[in-house]
Amino acid sequence: MDVSVTMWATTIGVLIALIVADFFIGGRKPHEVSVKEAGIWTAVWIALAALFGGFLWWHSGGQPAGEFFAGYITEKSLSVDNLFVFILIMGKFAVPRIYQQRVLMFGVIIALVLRAVFIAGGAALVTQFSWVFFLFGAFLIWTTWKLIKEARADERDEEFEESRLLKSITRRFPATEDYRGTKLLVLENGRRLITPMLIVMLAIGTTDVLFALDSIPAIFGLTQDPYIVFTANAFALMGLRQLYFLIGGLLKKLVHLSYGLSVILGFIGVKLVLHATHEAGANVPEIGIPLSLGFIVVVLAVTTVTSLRASKKAAEAEAEREPQKLDA
């Protein structure tokens, strides 16, 4: 896809304008986000992503639009799993509910900027060295095995551990013991102190980058166009704050999500290996975007249905055991 400097600048400008509008309309005043508000804004961000995909279809045809939708759905589904970690971070830092949306907003902006750096580096690699697809594919297949192993063992961290970066920041910069509204820095007794608000924003943003180690190679398996990679990531991340409040309580019911994501990553890993082999001159079939998009949608639909059924059965079994506990 031929993207001019003007189109890049316009796209980034529009994205910044959307973020600013989101802040002034829904995020400027600290408040508890209701399910209704989160649902409306989630629908708005999904509609904006759909409109952008339609624009790509009009501007450059079905192939770029299909790549965008496949990348967007993949990044969105992977980001849902990130929300579980975000919940742990919020609990670790005891973030008041009225400040949680502010934390997520700026945490996501930090994540988007850092991901842009990752995407630029990944685009430079795949442009110069086609053998990088072998590495990306192998990494995703290894990640698939790791996710399945963790899911079968029911391994999921119940506590958030600070990264070396956060530990270094808290050691070097004195911080207040409590939140000071939405302030990031305060001046007390002639000393400038950081607040927990700044620390938790950095925690959200930098933790998301760890998830990008999986998602960036995954989307490069669907498209090698850096413009589509960036915009798919941007739209997936920008609606993440509202999604957190909308489905936060449902995350524990998505018990098969790890299996679904591992299948998707494994599929894209195989796709990358086939693409790299084809680029090396071998006569092997390649997996097209229509098949990729359809496969991703079907896997997510099946995973959601089986998860809700399993959660319902578990709840019914627990309800049956409750009277027995009372009798005992």
Side-chain angles (χ1 to χ4, degrees):
M1 179 177 171
D2 185 20
V3 181
S4 65
V5 174
T6 301
M7 187 170 177
W8 266 107
T10 302
T11 301
I12 294 174
V14 170
L15 291 175
I16 292 174
L18 290 174
I19 293 172
V20 172
D22 185 17
F23 173 74
F24 280 101
I25 295 173
R28 186 178 183 181
K29 183 179 179 181
H31 66 282
E32 291 191 29
V33 179
S34 66
V35 173
K36 179 181 179 181
E37 179 184 348
I40 292 173
W41 275 103
T42 297
V44 167
W45 282 113
I46 292 175
L48 288 172
L51 286 173
F52 181 78
F55 164 75
L56 285 180
W57 194 299
W58 169 80
H59 182 271
S60 302
Q63 178 72 14
E67 292 177 357
F68 170 79
F69 283 120
Y72 171 74
I73 294 173
T74 299
E75 294 296 317
K76 199 72 172 177
S77 60
L78 290 171
S79 68
V80 169
D81 203 37
N82 301 4
L83 295 181
F84 183 85
V85 179
F86 290 175
I87 291 174
L88 295 181
I89 293 174
M90 294 292 189
K92 168 76 174 181
F93 291 95
V95 182
R97 288 189 61 83
I98 62 172
Y99 300 139
Q100 288 185 4
Q101 69 160 342
R102 179 68 63 87
V103 168
L104 287 169
M105 174 174 287
F106 286 95
V108 166
I109 291 173
I110 293 170
L112 183 57
V113 173
L114 294 177
R115 282 200 183 200
V117 177
F118 270 53
I119 291 168
L125 282 174
V126 299
T127 301
Q128 297 294 325
F129 310 105
S130 60
W131 53 262
V132 169
F133 290 115
F134 282 115
L135 296 180
F136 282 177
F139 177 74
L140 291 179
I141 293 171
W142 174 80
T143 302
T144 297
W145 173 81
K146 183 172 177 288
L147 284 175
I148 293 176
K149 183 180 178 182
E150 291 176 354
R152 289 174 62 87
D154 196 23
E155 293 179 3
R156 204 162 199 179
D157 295 335
E158 295 298 331
E159 294 185 2
F160 168 74
E161 294 185 4
E162 295 181 18
S163 65
R164 292 182 179 179
L165 174 62
L166 286 179
K167 290 179 180 178
S168 175
I169 290 173
T170 54
R171 280 198 307 266
R172 297 185 180 186
F173 298 94
T176 61
E177 295 183 358
D178 55 351
Y179 289 85
R180 304 298 172 85
T182 57
K183 293 180 179 179
L184 305 182
L185 300 169
V186 294
L187 189 64
E188 288 187 356
N189 300 322
R191 300 174 65 203
R192 189 167 295 280
L193 307 175
I194 64 175
T195 68
M197 179 70 73
L198 176 59
I199 298 173
V200 71
M201 284 180 182
L202 292 174
I204 293 287
T206 55
T207 299
D208 181 82
V209 173
L210 297 178
F211 290 103
L213 296 177
D214 294 342
S215 63
I216 298 301
I219 195 170
F220 270 110
L222 298 169
T223 176
Q224 286 81 60
D225 191 317
Y227 180 78
I228 296 176
V229 172
F230 173 74
T231 52
N233 268 272
F235 278 103
L237 282 176
M238 288 193 299
L240 196 58
R241 174 171 64 91
Q242 291 81 6
L243 199 61
Y244 171 89
F245 296 103
L246 181 63
I247 69 170
L250 298 176
L251 285 177
K252 292 185 177 180
K253 294 184 178 181
L254 299 177
V255 293
H256 297 159
L257 180 62
S258 293
Y259 289 107
L261 294 179
S262 63
V263 170
I264 291 172
L265 290 178
F267 171 80
I268 297 175
V270 172
K271 183 178 185 297
L272 276 170
V273 171
L274 290 175
H275 176 74
T277 305
H278 179 80
E279 289 292 311
N283 186 19
V284 296
E286 288 199 84
I287 301 174
I289 286 299
L291 177 59
S292 299
L293 181 57
F295 181 86
I296 292 167
V297 171
V298 169
V299 169
L300 290 175
V302 171
T303 299
T304 302
V305 171
T306 58
S307 292
L308 295 178
R309 285 182 177 178
S311 297
K312 183 179 179 181
K313 289 182 179 179
E316 291 174 349
E318 182 64 25
E320 292 177 358
R321 286 194 295 266
E322 283 298 325
Q324 298 176 0
K325 292 180 181 178
L326 294 175
D327 294 339

